[in-house]
Amino acid sequence: MTSEKRVVVIGGGLAGLRLANRLGPAAAVTVLGEESHVPYNRVLLAEVLAGRYAPEVTALPAPGPVLRRGVRAVRVDRAERAVHCDDGTVAPYDTLVLATGSNAVLPPLRGLFEPEGRDLPDGVHAFRTMDDCLALSAAVRPGVRAVVIGGGLLGVSAARALAARGAVVVLAQQGERLMERQLDADASALLATHLTELGVEIHTECRVRGLTTTASAPPAFEARVSGGGAPGNGAAPGQRRVTGVELADGYRLEADVVVLACGVRPRTGLARAAGLEVRTGIVVDDHLRTSDPRIHAIGDCAEHAGQVYGLAGAALEQADALAAVLTGAPAPYTGTRALTRLTLGGGGGGAGAGNGSLDLAAFGETTPRPGDDVVRLADATRRTYRKVVLRGDLLVGGVLLGELSTVGALARTWEGGEPPHDLFHLLTDDGGH
């Protein structure tokens, strides 16, 4: 690749900026970033919501003039090899990279939208972007009744953050347990205990049917009932405001704020419109190429070998692999072995302050198959839990809660695909040192 080769990257998030930084002067790179904010690490949004980090702490390394902020790509013309943008500009390319990420899933709830409308009621928030985070932060104050819909990684993070801000939090999860994709039943139960001690009320096997709303009151009334403050989400008179969440069993949860943490969906609209192959995500091969060899896809929008990862680690690995491809040193991308890690703090001035924090990590297959061996170590006093799954002589997955000194050594053994030499040593506190 020469510096005259034009590479256009659609998406100014973790994957797109990592690729641009890796390519450096090897190509003439243009990154089209839809958000107007300084690029940020989405993984840290829950820490901003909790008040532990200022928004500027989440900033990614400055990409320089290659990034065009606040510009949305609206059409890819494969015949003329150009990207048309919403500001009327056209970005010609020799190589195009789709790093369009994913959108929050908005569930089909009764009352979420008005007929023919697409505006969420005041007080209802997705939790995916910095704008989502800042709007939610502005709406939360001590005593606010908040309902989080979704008990996966994002919902658990949001519930913890809202509790740290002093909100009265209810978490509604349709599945049998929290973080059921990553954690087994025992680990999930420990997580639920920790969140309960932070003041979060948890409802599992709980299906949300709809929202109840009312017309927003005039500003003068809002100021009186909120102690002089502005409306939580800057609502104009006549807009709908959420008042509650209705469950399928008829129970109603009162709510001033509702957070939709129902998962994410790859952003594939541009790829579909351009005629590229799309299944769940934009289909790519081992060189991250789409069905058009001049167009690649990486990050949350990409589907490789039937897998859409939706994780920061995979996005970074794909960006690095594609940078090697584009600079003439390709090595096949064979997939990402994902490690999920989360710290749930008890800090802040709200419910649960002083309860400390809970660290958790999960990797690989945490649910054993028939014939697998499982080793567990649990300490009820210290609230630590460690479980690994063995298939033959190989470590295929594990879950750790409460103390993660051994996670590095276990993850390296798992990633290396080598039989563990001393499993007990790996599982004890000294195993990671």
Side-chain angles (χ1 to χ4, degrees):
M1 175 178 286
T2 66
S3 59
E4 288 78 31
K5 189 163 185 178
R6 300 165 300 180
V7 178
V8 174
V9 182
I10 302 178
L14 207 58
L17 293 183
R18 174 72 159 237
L19 175 64
N21 286 329
R22 286 287 186 264
L23 291 177
V29 181
T30 300
V31 180
L32 304 175
E34 185 173 339
E35 295 187 61
S36 57
H37 295 284
V38 171
Y40 58 90
N41 186 346
R42 204 179 303 278
V43 174
L44 299 177
L45 288 181
E47 303 305 320
V48 175
L49 179 59
R52 294 180 63 183
Y53 292 164
E56 53 267 25
V57 173
T58 70
L60 294 171
V66 303
L67 174 63
R68 295 177 58 196
R69 284 159 49 187
V71 176
R72 183 168 64 90
V74 296
R75 183 168 65 89
V76 174
D77 189 320
R78 292 166 56 192
E80 68 176 42
R81 295 181 202 159
V83 178
H84 295 255
C85 303
D86 62 348
D87 62 357
T89 60
V90 177
Y93 66 83
D94 299 302
T95 297
L96 175 64
V97 180
L98 301 175
T100 49
S102 55
N103 285 328
V105 171
L106 300 181
L109 301 178
R110 188 172 65 192
L112 186 61
F113 297 113
E114 290 185 302
E116 309 303 322
R118 296 304 298 169
D119 292 329
L120 294 173
D122 178 38
V124 178
H125 303 263
F127 187 43
R128 182 65 182 159
T129 67
M130 182 62 78
D131 283 338
D132 294 336
C133 182
L134 295 178
L136 188 52
S137 293
V140 176
R141 54 191 181 272
V144 159
R145 299 166 299 181
V147 176
V148 178
I149 302 175
L153 178 63
L154 190 62
V156 166
S157 300
R160 182 272 298 181
L162 292 169
R165 294 280 302 276
V168 179
V169 185
V170 177
L171 191 155
Q173 159 71 336
Q174 185 168 329
E176 293 181 2
R177 61 180 188 267
L178 300 179
M179 290 183 64
E180 55 189 354
R181 289 182 57 187
Q182 293 90 5
L183 304 183
D184 65 4
D186 292 333
S188 184
L190 285 172
L191 173 59
T193 298
H194 179 77
L195 287 175
T196 299
E197 290 178 350
L198 296 180
V200 178
E201 179 182 327
I202 299 170
H203 296 263
T204 56
E205 298 184 87
C206 164
R207 189 169 66 83
V208 175
R209 180 171 60 190
L211 306 178
T212 57
T213 61
T214 187
S216 293
F221 176 75
E222 287 279 3
R224 290 197 301 272
V225 299
S226 63
N233 203 25
Q239 284 186 338
R240 295 183 305 143
R241 169 177 287 255
V242 71
T243 58
V245 173
E246 290 184 335
L247 306 182
D249 62 5
Y251 191 73
R252 182 175 180 274
L253 301 169
E254 300 287 336
D256 305 303
V257 170
V258 173
V259 180
L260 304 175
C262 305
V264 296
R265 181 178 294 117
R267 295 184 67 181
T268 60
L270 280 174
R272 285 186 186 277
L276 301 177
E277 183 181 2
V278 175
R279 296 175 192 158
T280 301
I282 305 166
V283 177
V284 296
D285 63 12
D286 289 351
H287 288 136
L288 288 313
R289 290 176 302 207
T290 70
S291 51
D292 181 333
R294 293 185 178 273
I295 303 178
H296 299 73
I298 55 175
D300 290 4
C301 67
E303 177 179 333
H304 174 265
Q307 178 79 33
V308 177
Y309 290 96
L311 296 169
L316 295 175
E317 284 191 18
Q318 290 173 2
D320 291 348
L322 182 54
V325 168
L326 297 181
T327 53
Y333 173 73
T334 57
T336 294
R337 310 199 81 185
L339 170 69
T340 298
R341 189 164 181 164
L342 179 66
T343 295
L344 296 170
N355 280 327
S357 64
L358 179 72
D359 293 326
L360 66 87
F363 58 90
E365 299 179 46
T366 59
T367 301
R369 298 179 187 173
D372 289 348
D373 293 316
V374 177
V375 181
R376 289 185 179 89
L377 292 178
D379 186 328
T381 302
R382 296 174 59 198
R383 293 194 180 179
T384 61
Y385 174 81
R386 296 172 185 178
K387 172 186 123 175
V388 293
V389 180
L390 296 165
R391 186 164 301 146
D393 293 331
L394 299 180
L395 179 64
V396 296
V399 179
L400 296 89
L401 270 85
E403 218 296 318
L404 302 188
S405 63
T406 67
V407 69
L410 286 168
R412 286 191 296 272
T413 301
W414 165 63
E415 290 173 348
E418 297 291 332
H421 296 297
D422 188 343
L423 183 60
F424 182 77
H425 181 63
L426 285 174
L427 280 171
T428 60
D429 283 349
D430 293 331
H433 299 290

